[in-house]
Amino acid sequence: MFEDLKGRTAVVFGVANKRSIAWAIAQGLHAAGANLAITYQNERMEMEAKDLILSLPGAEGFMCDVSKDEEITELFEKLKARYGKLHAVVHSVAFAPAEELKGDFVNTTREGFRVAHDVSVYSLIAVSRAAAALMEDGGSVITMTYYGAEKVVPHYNVMGVAKAALECTVRYLAQDLGRRKIRVNAISAGPIKTLAARGISGLGDMLRSHAERAPLQRNVEVSEVGSTGVFLASDASSGITGEIIYVDCGYNIMGF
Ligand code: NAD
Ligand code: 0WE
């Protein structure tokens, strides 16, 4: 592995367990030589996350619920004191109340819509603003999206609407932060069996049909999302901002 992130500091949001996309990106960033701060949502996530973080020498763990402004402020105060400058942020967080991902989309509740957009979209704006203040040398902000933002995926429902807003947020942030040499991009990953995907009825069928239709004839590996995260954090992607990069074995290019 090239150490192209040596001397850089990255903060990664969204590690729940060893299957988390955030964890794959964190491992990639660590292998590329970055200093790592890894955040987890709450005490419930702490145990599992802490064990993983301990396995990456030098990485440090912090708690942060991104639906709370005070927790974001506090986290970035700690990061400023501990690291001074920041170079990359990975936002790998999404949530909609479970009921919203089951029934008909037309039954989306006002509160379900609010929560999905607050946790999955607004948090990117809040985190980017706080991070930008520490990105004195420029930087890279990376978030995670899914094809359900563009085309209807049954039961993805309000999350699809939130991901569409997230992808648009990436473009507006990229324009705003570009003058400060901060790039903002999203990775659109194919379906992966993580905590957030488990329990979704029909996930097995979805993975099978995805592998069948995708040009590469298989599902994406979480490590492939990890290495794309490293690319977007590094200077190898210095000319790329405001983009949605597909890591889906080509699934999205197919019309039939
Ligand atoms: P995951 O469950 O491992 O990660 C989701 C994370 O969001 C968890 O760590 C959870 O703690 C965190 N989170 C939720 N609410 C939070 C809050 N209020 N504050 C802080 N953290 C909060 O699942 P994952 O599949 O790794 O999901 C990561 C990202 O990847 C999500 O944005 C998801 O939409 C996206 N994504 C997933 C897939 C897939 O098939 N798994 C495909 C494309 C995109
Ligand atoms: O973005 C996601 C999942 C995000 C997610 C998952 C959950 C499950 C637990 C958001 N909120 C919650 N809330 C919970 O209570 N993915 C891309 C994975 C995913 O989710 C689907 C999918 C795919 C793929 C839901 C329906 C259909 C397909």
Side-chain angles (χ1 to χ4, degrees), residues 101-144:
L101 304 175
K102 285 184 188 132
D104 295 343
F105 176 68
V106 73
N107 292 327
T108 300
T109 65
R110 192 181 294 276
E111 181 62 4
F113 183 98
R114 188 195 67 72
V115 169
H117 285 73
D118 185 22
V119 174
S120 317
V121 190
Y122 180 75
S123 65
L124 179 68
I125 303 172
V127 162
S128 297
R129 182 171 55 242
L134 304 185
M135 288 179 162
E136 292 169 24
D137 310 330
S140 174
V141 176
I142 301 158
T143 187
M144 293 304 310

Coordinates of all heavy atoms in Angstrom, one line a residue, residues 101-144:
L101 N -39.4 2.0 6.2 CA -38.7 1.1 5.2 C -39.5 -0.2 5.0 O -39.0 -1.1 4.4 CB -37.3 0.8 5.6 CG -36.4 2.0 5.9 CD1 -35.0 1.6 6.4 CD2 -36.2 2.9 4.6
K102 N -40.8 -0.2 5.4 CA -41.6 -1.4 5.3 C -42.8 -1.2 4.4 O -42.9 -1.8 3.4 CB -42.0 -1.9 6.7 CG -40.9 -2.5 7.4 CD -41.4 -3.1 8.8 CE -40.2 -3.6 9.6 NZ -40.3 -3.1 11.0
G103 N -43.6 -0.2 4.8 CA -44.9 -0.1 4.1 C -44.8 0.7 2.8 O -43.8 0.7 2.1
D104 N -45.9 1.2 2.4 CA -46.0 2.0 1.2 C -45.4 3.4 1.4 O -45.6 4.0 2.4 CB -47.5 2.1 0.7 CG -48.1 0.8 0.4 OD1 -47.3 -0.2 0.2 OD2 -49.3 0.7 0.3
F105 N -44.7 3.9 0.3 CA -44.1 5.2 0.4 C -45.1 6.3 0.7 O -44.8 7.2 1.4 CB -43.4 5.5 -0.9 CG -42.8 6.9 -0.9 CD1 -41.7 7.2 -0.1 CD2 -43.3 7.9 -1.8 CE1 -41.2 8.5 -0.1 CE2 -42.8 9.2 -1.8 CZ -41.7 9.5 -0.9
V106 N -46.3 6.1 0.2 CA -47.4 7.1 0.3 C -47.7 7.3 1.8 O -48.2 8.4 2.2 CB -48.6 6.8 -0.6 CG1 -49.4 5.6 0.0 CG2 -49.5 8.0 -0.8
N107 N -47.4 6.4 2.6 CA -47.7 6.5 4.1 C -46.5 7.1 4.9 O -46.6 7.0 6.1 CB -48.1 5.1 4.6 CG -49.5 4.7 4.1 OD1 -50.3 5.5 3.8 ND2 -49.6 3.4 3.9
T108 N -45.5 7.6 4.2 CA -44.4 8.2 4.9 C -45.0 9.3 5.9 O -45.8 10.1 5.5 CB -43.5 8.9 3.9 OG1 -43.0 8.0 3.0 CG2 -42.3 9.6 4.6
T109 N -44.5 9.2 7.1 CA -45.0 10.2 8.1 C -44.1 11.4 8.1 O -43.0 11.4 7.7 CB -44.9 9.6 9.6 OG1 -43.6 9.4 9.9 CG2 -45.7 8.3 9.6
R110 N -44.7 12.5 8.6 CA -44.0 13.8 8.7 C -42.7 13.6 9.6 O -41.6 14.1 9.3 CB -44.9 14.9 9.4 CG -44.3 16.3 9.3 CD -45.3 17.3 9.9 NE -46.6 17.4 9.2 CZ -46.8 18.2 8.2 NH1 -45.9 18.9 7.7 NH2 -48.0 18.2 7.6
E111 N -42.9 12.9 10.7 CA -41.7 12.6 11.6 C -40.7 11.7 11.0 O -39.5 12.0 11.2 CB -42.3 12.1 13.0 CG -41.3 11.8 14.0 CD -40.5 13.1 14.5 OE1 -40.8 14.2 14.1 OE2 -39.6 12.9 15.3
G112 N -41.1 10.7 10.3 CA -40.2 9.8 9.6 C -39.4 10.6 8.6 O -38.1 10.4 8.4
F113 N -40.0 11.4 7.8 CA -39.4 12.2 6.8 C -38.4 13.1 7.5 O -37.2 13.3 7.0 CB -40.4 13.1 6.1 CG -39.9 13.9 4.9 CD1 -39.9 13.5 3.6 CD2 -39.3 15.1 5.2 CE1 -39.4 14.2 2.6 CE2 -38.8 15.9 4.2 CZ -38.9 15.5 2.9
R114 N -38.8 13.8 8.6 CA -37.9 14.7 9.3 C -36.6 14.0 9.8 O -35.5 14.5 9.6 CB -38.7 15.4 10.5 CG -37.9 16.5 11.1 CD -38.5 16.9 12.5 NE -38.4 15.8 13.5 CZ -37.2 15.5 14.1 NH1 -36.1 16.1 13.8 NH2 -37.2 14.5 15.0
V115 N -36.9 12.9 10.5 CA -35.7 12.2 11.1 C -34.8 11.7 10.0 O -33.5 11.9 10.1 CB -36.2 11.0 11.9 CG1 -35.1 10.1 12.3 CG2 -37.0 11.5 13.2
A116 N -35.3 11.1 8.9 CA -34.4 10.6 7.8 C -33.6 11.7 7.3 O -32.4 11.5 7.0 CB -35.3 10.0 6.7
H117 N -34.2 12.9 7.0 CA -33.4 14.0 6.5 C -32.5 14.6 7.5 O -31.4 15.1 7.1 CB -34.4 15.0 5.8 CG -35.0 14.6 4.6 ND1 -35.9 13.6 4.5 CD2 -34.7 14.9 3.3 CE1 -36.2 13.3 3.2 NE2 -35.5 14.1 2.5
D118 N -32.9 14.7 8.7 CA -32.0 15.3 9.8 C -30.8 14.4 9.9 O -29.6 15.0 9.8 CB -32.8 15.3 11.1 CG -32.0 16.0 12.2 OD1 -31.1 16.8 11.9 OD2 -32.4 15.8 13.4
V119 N -30.9 13.1 10.1 CA -29.8 12.3 10.4 C -28.9 12.0 9.1 O -27.7 12.0 9.2 CB -30.2 10.9 11.0 CG1 -29.0 10.0 11.2 CG2 -30.9 11.1 12.4
S120 N -29.6 11.8 8.0 CA -28.9 11.3 6.8 C -28.4 12.4 5.9 O -27.6 12.2 5.0 CB -29.8 10.4 6.0 OG -30.5 9.5 6.9
V121 N -29.0 13.7 6.0 CA -28.7 14.7 5.1 C -28.1 16.0 5.8 O -27.0 16.4 5.6 CB -29.9 15.2 4.2 CG1 -29.4 16.1 3.1 CG2 -30.6 13.9 3.6
Y122 N -28.9 16.5 6.8 CA -28.5 17.7 7.4 C -27.1 17.5 8.1 O -26.3 18.4 8.1 CB -29.5 18.3 8.4 CG -29.0 19.5 9.1 CD1 -28.9 20.7 8.3 CD2 -28.3 19.5 10.3 CE1 -28.3 21.9 8.8 CE2 -27.7 20.6 10.8 CZ -27.7 21.8 10.1 OH -27.0 22.9 10.6
S123 N -27.0 16.3 8.7 CA -25.7 16.0 9.4 C -24.5 16.3 8.5 O -23.4 16.7 9.0 CB -25.7 14.6 9.9 OG -25.7 13.7 8.9
L124 N -24.6 16.0 7.2 CA -23.4 16.2 6.3 C -23.1 17.7 6.3 O -21.9 18.1 6.3 CB -23.7 15.7 4.9 CG -22.5 15.9 3.9 CD1 -21.3 15.1 4.3 CD2 -23.0 15.7 2.5
I125 N -24.1 18.6 6.3 CA -23.9 20.0 6.2 C -23.2 20.5 7.6 O -22.2 21.2 7.5 CB -25.2 20.8 6.0 CG1 -25.9 20.3 4.7 CG2 -24.9 22.3 6.0 CD1 -27.3 20.9 4.5
A126 N -23.8 20.0 8.7 CA -23.3 20.4 10.0 C -21.8 19.9 10.2 O -20.9 20.7 10.7 CB -24.2 19.8 11.1
V127 N -21.6 18.7 9.8 CA -20.2 18.1 10.0 C -19.2 18.8 9.0 O -18.1 19.1 9.4 CB -20.3 16.6 9.8 CG1 -18.9 16.0 9.5 CG2 -20.9 15.9 11.0
S128 N -19.6 19.1 7.8 CA -18.7 19.7 6.8 C -18.4 21.1 7.3 O -17.2 21.5 7.2 CB -19.4 19.8 5.5 OG -19.7 18.5 5.0
R129 N -19.3 21.8 7.9 CA -19.0 23.2 8.3 C -18.0 23.2 9.5 O -17.0 23.9 9.5 CB -20.3 23.9 8.8 CG -20.1 25.3 9.3 CD -21.5 26.0 9.5 NE -22.3 25.3 10.4 CZ -23.6 24.8 10.1 NH1 -24.0 25.0 8.9 NH2 -24.3 24.2 11.0
A130 N -18.2 22.3 10.4 CA -17.3 22.2 11.6 C -16.0 21.7 11.1 O -14.9 22.2 11.6 CB -17.9 21.2 12.6
A131 N -15.9 20.7 10.2 CA -14.6 20.2 9.7 C -13.9 21.2 8.9 O -12.7 21.4 9.0 CB -14.9 19.0 8.9
A132 N -14.6 22.0 8.1 CA -14.0 23.0 7.2 C -13.2 24.0 8.0 O -12.1 24.4 7.6 CB -15.0 23.7 6.3
A133 N -13.6 24.3 9.2 CA -12.9 25.3 10.1 C -11.5 24.7 10.4 O -10.6 25.5 10.8 CB -13.7 25.6 11.3
L134 N -11.3 23.4 10.4 CA -10.0 22.8 10.7 C -9.2 22.4 9.5 O -8.1 21.9 9.6 CB -10.3 21.6 11.7 CG -11.0 21.8 13.0 CD1 -11.0 20.5 13.8 CD2 -10.5 23.0 13.8
M135 N -9.8 22.6 8.3 CA -9.2 22.1 7.1 C -8.4 23.3 6.5 O -8.6 23.8 5.4 CB -10.2 21.6 6.1 CG -10.7 20.2 6.5 SD -12.0 19.6 5.3 CE -12.0 17.9 5.7
E136 N -7.3 23.7 7.2 CA -6.5 24.9 6.8 C -5.8 24.7 5.5 O -5.5 25.6 4.8 CB -5.5 25.2 7.9 CG -6.2 25.7 9.2 CD -5.2 25.8 10.3 OE1 -3.9 25.9 10.0 OE2 -5.6 25.7 11.4
D137 N -5.4 23.4 5.2 CA -4.7 23.1 4.0 C -5.6 22.6 2.9 O -5.1 22.0 1.9 CB -3.6 22.1 4.2 CG -2.7 22.4 5.4 OD1 -2.6 23.6 5.7 OD2 -2.3 21.4 6.1
G138 N -6.9 22.8 3.0 CA -7.9 22.1 2.1 C -8.2 20.8 2.6 O -7.7 20.3 3.7
G139 N -9.1 20.0 1.9 CA -9.4 18.7 2.4 C -10.4 18.0 1.5 O -10.7 18.5 0.4
S140 N -10.9 16.9 2.0 CA -11.8 16.0 1.3 C -13.0 15.5 2.2 O -12.7 15.0 3.3 CB -11.1 14.8 0.7 OG -11.9 13.9 0.1
V141 N -14.2 15.8 1.7 CA -15.4 15.3 2.5 C -16.0 14.2 1.6 O -16.2 14.4 0.4 CB -16.4 16.4 2.7 CG1 -17.6 15.9 3.4 CG2 -15.7 17.5 3.6
I142 N -16.3 13.0 2.3 CA -16.8 11.9 1.5 C -18.1 11.4 2.2 O -18.0 11.2 3.5 CB -15.7 10.8 1.5 CG1 -14.4 11.2 0.8 CG2 -16.3 9.5 0.8 CD1 -13.2 10.4 1.2
T143 N -19.1 11.2 1.5 CA -20.3 10.6 2.1 C -20.8 9.4 1.3 O -20.2 9.1 0.2 CB -21.5 11.7 2.2 OG1 -22.6 11.1 2.9 CG2 -22.0 12.1 0.8
M144 N -21.8 8.7 1.8 CA -22.2 7.4 1.2 C -23.6 7.6 0.7 O -24.5 8.0 1.4 CB -22.2 6.3 2.2 CG -20.8 5.9 2.7 SD -19.7 5.4 1.4 CE -20.7 4.2 0.5

